[in-house]
Amino acid sequence: MDASADRFAGPAAAARRALVRRLTASGELRDPGWRAAFEEVPRHVFVPYYFAGFPGSYERLWCEDPSPARRERWLRGVYADVSLVTRVRDGTLLSSSSQPSVMARMLQELRVQDGCRVLEIGAGTGYNAALLCHRLGDSLVTTVDLDPDIVESARAHLAAVGYRPALIIADGARGCPERAPFDRIISTCSLASVPWAWPEQCRPGGRILAPLATGLIALDVFDDAEHGRMAQGRFLRTPAHFMPLRGGPAPRSGVLPRRAVKNDLFRFLLNLTADSLDPQEALSLWERERRPERDRYGVTVCGGRQWSWLDDPEGPYAWPVGPPQPPSAVASSRGN
C-alpha cells in the first residue's frame, strides 16, 4: 500500500517500531530477517477491525470509526502484543489474529533459509503470509484454507500491501500436492493429529511446525531405510492456545484435584493423551515424573500411525495420537 494513501501510515510505523523493540527486548524476536518483516509489514491493514471485551460482550473497534478516540484505540490495540478477535457470531469467537510474540516465536522456530518453499495451513487475515512473503518472496509462499470468504479477505489484504502468494481454497489436511514439495509447513490453529499428507509433501530435511494439545510441536522430516518417510520432534517449551481446526469436546478431567486441573502443564498432558490415557493415570504419571515441561514430550509420525511420548520415542511412556492415517477432512484455519 502506498504510504501516501494510508492515513494511518505515520502513527502505525511508530507503533510497529515500538512493538518490535518490545519483542526484541523480551527475546521473542532475535532473527534480523524476521525483525525487518515485523517492522515493515503493516498489521493494521490486515486487521481493519476487531472485537474487544469479554466472551458474550464484544465491542467492535475499526479503522473507519467516526470517533478519533476510538480510532486511536483501534490502532493502539492492533500493535499491542495480544491476539485480536476478528470474527464473532452470536457472542461466540470464530476467528482471531494471533499474538505477535507467538507468531514471531513460530516463524523463528520454522528455521527458514533463503529459497525455502513454505506451505501455510490457514489463511487467517493474511498477516502471517505477508510476513513470510517479506522474508522469502511471494513465489515461495503457499497458503491453503477451506473457507472461501477467509481466502478472499486475506487475498485483498495481501494485495493492498503488494504481496501475491499462492492462496488456494482447499482442505488443509490434504496439504497442497500441486505445489509440493515444500521445505517448511506451518499451521496456525490447533490440531488433533498431524495429517500424513504434510510429511509426504515435505522434503527430507524439512520441518513442520504446528499447534497440538496446547503446545507447539516442531517435527523434522526424514526418510528412514525401514519405514520410509517419517516426521519426529519435540514440543517447544512455550504454551500455545490456538483455535481448533474443528470444534471438539474438551479433554475429560474426571474427579481430579483442583490444583492439578488448574495447572497448565497438567492440562497439556490431558489434551495430549485425551483418547488414550485415563485422567487418573495421567495424574499419576505427571506426579511421578515431577510435572514434566512440554519440551520433554514429543511426537513421531511413521508408517501410517503417530504417537506422542515422554523423553524417548521408544521409551515406556507412549500414547497414540489421533485416528489411523490418512485422517479425515480438516476444516479451515481461523487464526493468524
Side-chain angles (χ1 to χ4, degrees):
M1 176 180 290
D2 184 350
S4 64
D6 181 5
R7 59 183 168 136
F8 301 105
R16 282 198 303 281
R17 289 193 294 269
L19 174 62
V20 168
R21 284 196 298 271
R22 291 195 298 273
L23 297 181
T24 302
S26 67
E28 300 291 357
L29 195 52
R30 304 177 304 277
D31 182 279
W34 291 120
R35 274 203 303 272
F38 275 88
E39 193 165 276
E40 295 174 29
V41 174
R43 190 187 189 201
H44 65 282
V45 174
F46 295 87
V47 192
Y49 64 86
Y50 59 89
F51 297 88
F54 300 94
S57 179
Y58 290 104
E59 174 191 20
R60 186 173 183 261
L61 297 173
W62 68 310
C63 62
E64 299 296 336
D65 197 294
S67 166
R70 289 174 62 82
R71 290 198 302 271
E72 183 180 348
R73 280 184 60 201
W74 161 78
L75 188 63
R76 187 167 59 246
V78 166
Y79 290 106
D81 185 27
V82 295
S83 61
L84 300 173
V85 176
T86 55
R87 292 191 181 196
V88 174
R89 182 181 300 154
D90 298 326
T92 300
L93 186 158
L94 296 179
S95 181
S96 66
S97 178
S98 303
Q99 186 177 2
S101 58
V102 175
M103 297 175 72
R105 191 177 309 133
M106 291 181 69
L107 289 168
Q108 290 180 134
E109 289 293 340
L110 200 58
R111 300 179 185 174
V112 300
Q113 300 172 349
D114 291 346
C116 275
R117 293 173 54 84
V118 177
L119 172 63
E120 179 191 36
I121 307 297
T125 67
Y127 179 54
N128 198 65
L131 295 168
L132 286 164
C133 288
H134 186 284
R135 177 69 177 78
L136 296 169
D138 299 16
S139 65
L140 296 176
V141 178
T142 301
T143 298
V144 172
D145 200 295
L146 191 60
D147 189 321
D149 291 338
I150 288 178
V151 169
E152 292 311 313
S153 177
R155 193 189 309 278
H157 294 157
L158 285 155
V161 294
Y163 295 123
R164 289 175 174 79
L167 282 110
I168 296 171
I169 301 169
D171 180 357
R174 297 187 175 92
C176 188
E178 65 269 31
R179 299 268 298 173
F182 301 97
D183 301 290
R184 303 289 187 272
I185 297 177
I186 182 170
S187 175
T188 55
C189 53
S190 187
L191 308 173
S193 60
V194 179
W196 178 241
W198 297 1
E200 276 191 325
Q201 293 174 25
C202 201
R203 288 190 179 99
R207 190 168 175 86
I208 298 170
L209 187 68
L212 178 69
T214 76
L216 290 171
I217 187 67
L219 300 170
D220 294 317
V221 178
F222 56 95
D223 283 336
D224 178 80
E226 181 179 355
H227 299 102
R229 185 63 51 85
M230 292 182 60
Q232 182 169 280
R234 291 180 179 270
F235 284 88
L236 307 184
R237 197 177 182 90
T238 181
H241 300 275
F242 284 74
M243 295 187 66
L245 290 169
R246 285 197 188 276
R252 296 173 297 116
S253 60
V255 181
L256 295 171
R258 183 178 176 83
R259 59 174 173 76
V261 174
K262 293 183 67 175
N263 187 286
D264 180 60
L265 290 174
F266 180 62
R267 290 199 305 272
F268 167 74
L269 177 60
L270 279 180
N271 274 276
L272 190 62
T273 62
D275 297 323
S276 54
L277 197 61
D278 179 83
Q280 290 290 347
E281 292 179 294
L283 178 61
S284 297
L285 182 151
W286 185 66
E287 292 180 333
R288 184 167 61 250
E289 291 297 320
R290 300 181 181 181
R291 305 181 178 186
E293 294 282 351
R294 282 175 173 82
D295 58 356
R296 285 182 59 188
Y297 298 91
V299 170
T300 300
V301 182
C302 170
R305 67 188 184 96
Q306 59 186 280
W307 64 95
S308 60
W309 38 268
L310 177 67
D311 293 332
D312 182 353
E314 303 298 332
Y317 298 127
W319 314 275
V321 175
Q325 301 284 356
S328 58
V330 175
S332 71
S333 169
R334 301 171 189 172
N336 67 347

